[in-house]
Structure formats: structure tokens, C-alpha cells
Amino acid sequence: NAGVTQTPKFQVLKTGQSMTLQCAQDMNHNSMYWYRQDPGMGLRLIYYSASEGTTDKGEVPNGYNVSRLNKREFSLRLESAAPSQTSVYFCASSPGRLGLQEVFFGSGTQLSVL
Amino acid sequence: GENVGLHLPTLSVQEGDNSIINCAYSNSASDYFIWYKQESGKGPQFIIDIRSNMDKRQGQRVTVLLNKTVKHLSLQIAATQPGDSAVYFCAENMAGNFNKFYFGSGTKLNVKP
């Protein structure tokens, strides 16, 4: 039982390049999330998926797209990376049911955009 | 996002002392709160949670207190150990949207041996 697994752990991009961050969970959770964490700040929600087949914007969705490929996988895509997207990205999941709301996090992807 | 903020960005305590980390929230509709611990280079880990119908909840060495009147949340760590050194975040969730959590900016806890 690996929990939430995200890849890659580190990535350096040039401005304008694109990339996809991958995330998978093996806990049969309904809900999945992508957060970004900037130095000295808390986590900000980029997008979330309440269930397979649905996605919704969070606090800071601009510049990102997501795909809920199936129940296990939720990917985050940067179509044209910008230096402002330099951050640590965390994927997370939760059962997504009232009363079962604990959110489990992956270990993070450190992204630098030059 | 919602205003979930912390009073003290950095807290230094002596090993063996008790620690208290505070958090303020602004939305009275929030009904579920979680404290997370984040060690360097890792993702946040669940510590303890509390629902708005409670004002206190205890775990192993940790206690969360919720004061809905002043919209304040605190995390108490008893007999703080070096392994408790980390950044601690509170997160709130509003009734009716249990998929969306808002996080505070975090408090760094330094435990001095």
C-alpha cells in the first residue's frame, strides 16, 4: 500500500516548455487534489476532482490543466511553464465522503522554471 | 481563498516542554479542521482533526482545541521532542463542500535539546 505516489520528484523547465505531473493513489479514494506550496506559505489548491470524471478549479487554477484519467490517477499539466510556477507541487487524495475527509499527501514535486 | 492564518510563524521550545500552536480562521461556516505536520522535504501528514460540534479532542501527546466564538484553533503538543520539529499547518473545510480545504501559512516549530 504505497498511498499517494507522484512523479517526478524534481524537474527543471525552461519558460514556455510543457510538462505533466503524474499522480496515483491506491487507497480507492474518490477525491484527488493538486496543491502548490511556495516558500513560507501554506498549500493552495490548484484543481481538485471530487470523483472520477469530474474536475473543478481551486484557488489558483490559471496556467494549469488537469485530467482525472481513472479513479486512481490525476495528472496536472503545465502547457507553457512560467517562472511564477516555480513551486513545490503536492498531489493528495481523500475518501471524499462526509465523515471521511482526511487528506493524504504525496511527497511532492519540486519544479523550477527558468 | 479563505483566511486561515497563524499567529506565530516560528516557535522555539525546549525539549520536554509543552508547545502550543495557534490558528485563526475567518469562515464561521467551516465545520471541520485538521492539523498537519510537514517535515522538511516531505508532504504534510495528518496529526489530528476536530469537528465543529466539539471543542476539544485528544490524541497521543496532542490536543486540539476549538473556540468557535472567536474562530480560533490551537494544537497542543505535550512533552515536545526533537522529532516534533517541523512546520505545522491548520486546514479548514466548509460544510457542504468536503472536498475543499484551505490551509494556513504554517508555523515552524523548533525543539531545542
Side-chain angles (χ1 to χ4, degrees), chain B residues 3-14:
Chain B
N3 181 15
V4 180
L6 300 178
H7 296 307
L8 299 172
T10 304
L11 177 65
S12 294
V13 299
Q14 204 68 39

Side-chain angles (χ1 to χ4, degrees), chain A residues 31 33 35 37 40-43 45 48 50 57-59 90 94 96-103 105-107, chain B residues 1-2 31-32 34 36 38 41-46 49 51 87 89 93 97-106:
Chain A
S31 301
Y33 314 82
Y35 287 88
Q37 184 177 34
M41 295 182 68
L43 295 116
L45 182 63
Y48 69 100
K57 294 179 180 179
E59 301 170 75
F90 289 98
S94 72
R97 294 190 292 276
L98 189 63
L100 290 172
Q101 292 162 258
E102 182 183 341
V103 181
F105 287 84
S107 56
Chain B
E2 298 301 321
D31 70 344
Y32 179 61
I34 303 180
Y36 282 93
Q38 186 177 25
K42 297 184 179 179
Q45 291 180 293
F46 174 94
D49 59 358
R51 296 201 174 276
V87 176
F89 296 93
N93 178 252
N97 191 346
F98 48 82
N99 288 295
K100 259 180 145 174
F101 282 86
Y102 293 97
F103 285 79
S105 56

Side-chain angles (χ1 to χ4, degrees), chain A residues 3-80:
Chain A
V4 179
T5 304
Q6 55 180 111
T7 57
K9 290 191 183 300
F10 300 95
Q11 183 71 49
V12 178
L13 294 176
K14 294 180 181 178
T15 297
Q17 286 186 315
S18 62
M19 79 158 296
T20 300
L21 280 64
Q22 307 288 351
C23 177
Q25 53 90 9
D26 61 3
M27 296 174 281
N28 199 36
H29 284 169
N30 289 316
S31 301
M32 297 187 73
Y33 314 82
W34 277 104
Y35 287 88
R36 62 177 285 174
Q37 184 177 34
D38 298 308
M41 295 182 68
L43 295 116
R44 291 185 291 169
L45 182 63
I46 304 171
Y47 271 94
Y48 69 100
S49 170
S51 61
E52 185 179 355
T54 69
T55 60
D56 285 285
K57 294 179 180 179
E59 301 170 75
V60 288
N62 291 342
Y64 305 95
N65 286 301
V66 290
S67 295
R68 183 75 182 267
L69 304 169
N70 48 55
K71 192 170 186 179
R72 291 186 65 247
E73 299 172 287
F74 188 40
S75 62
L76 178 72
R77 182 161 178 84
L78 286 70
E79 288 291 351
S80 179

